[in-house]
Amino acid sequence: MGNDKIKTQPLAFNSQAKDEMLESASNFYNMVRSRRTVREFSDKPVPKEIIENCLRAAGTAPSGANHQPWHFAVISDPELKYKIREGAEEEEREFYESRAPQEWLNALAPLGTDANKPFLEIAPYLIVIFGEKFSFDIEGNKQKNYYVSESVGIATGILITALHNAGLATLTHTPAPMKFLNELVGRPATEKPYMILVTGYPAENAEVPAITRKSLGEIASFKGDD
Ligand code: IYR
């Protein structure tokens, strides 16, 4: 089958019988449907191995030309978390006080968010996710990356799902602009901050906004006879 010039290997495919497939699909949906974005975190420590394995899972995401254009900076140092909170709150104050149009503020009102971001210090881990506009091959040559935001978005989705599956809560946090994170975290200018994934256990008695999710009929359409 494959092209003579490229090395291939047999696909290790997990074949399942139809009943097993139905059960797998249903079990997975039941696992992910309980995920909620959390804004109240506990400071209870999380074993680092859990984070490491969830990051390994994120690193399996498909990516443009398989360049894997992502970097995950895992921050647990309290002083650095404090500095990230300071930087983020500065951006957020400007956002909430002047930059955000009224329509955006209205859309956020049901979430009850504001410029105060205590969770950036309370949660045990801040995973700062970067997209690499360029990477370096094994000989150190600079190579352009493709579909960076799509690739990093998929990896982030897998990471969020893996962390939820492992019993952790997350918050996708996007202070804008996020350039201050390069300097704080020590990442090169070829990397663009994508988001901060705040990670930990939820606070005891944490509350979340009452929301509903769109039904299958609202999010999908089917064309075909089956
Ligand atoms: N980055 C801001 C604002 C914000 C924007 C959206 I869209 C949200 O879904 C939630 C928040 C903040 O973190 O408060």
Side-chain angles (χ1 to χ4, degrees), residues 159-177:
L159 179 57
I160 291 167
T161 309
L163 290 164
H164 171 69
N165 179 58
L168 292 169
T170 56
L171 165 63
T172 45
H173 181 47
T174 51

Side-chain angles (χ1 to χ4, degrees), residues 128-185:
V128 187
I129 305 171
F130 292 85
E132 300 176 340
K133 288 180 273 181
F134 296 91
S135 8
F136 296 89
D137 65 18
I138 32 175
E139 279 137 30
N141 303 309
K142 195 167 166 181
Q143 58 176 15
K144 186 177 157 31
N145 291 332
Y146 305 95
Y147 297 103
V148 174
S149 58
E150 290 83 349
S151 306
V152 179
I154 297 167
T156 300
I158 294 177
L159 179 57
I160 291 167
T161 309
L163 290 164
H164 171 69
N165 179 58
L168 292 169
T170 56
L171 165 63
T172 45
H173 181 47
T174 51
M178 286 189 278
K179 212 66 209 146
F180 70 94
L181 290 167
N182 283 71
E183 199 186 314
L184 280 182
V185 175

Side-chain angles (χ1 to χ4, degrees), residues 13 15 39 84 103 120 122 141 144 148 157 203:
F13 188 73
S15 289
R39 290 188 172 77
I84 291 174
E103 189 183 12
L120 292 172
I122 297 169
N141 303 309
K144 186 177 157 31
V148 174

Side-chain angles (χ1 to χ4, degrees), residues 204-216:
E204 228 171 284
N205 308 316
E207 300 250 343
V208 290
I211 57 158
T212 54
R213 287 188 168 120
K214 290 183 182 175
S215 68
L216 179 63

Side-chain angles (χ1 to χ4, degrees), residues 39 92 95-96 104 108 111 113-114 117 173-175:
R39 290 188 172 77
E92 296 292 346
F95 173 82
Y96 283 94
W104 195 343
L108 292 179
L111 302 180
T113 56
D114 59 27
K117 305 297 178 193
H173 181 47
T174 51

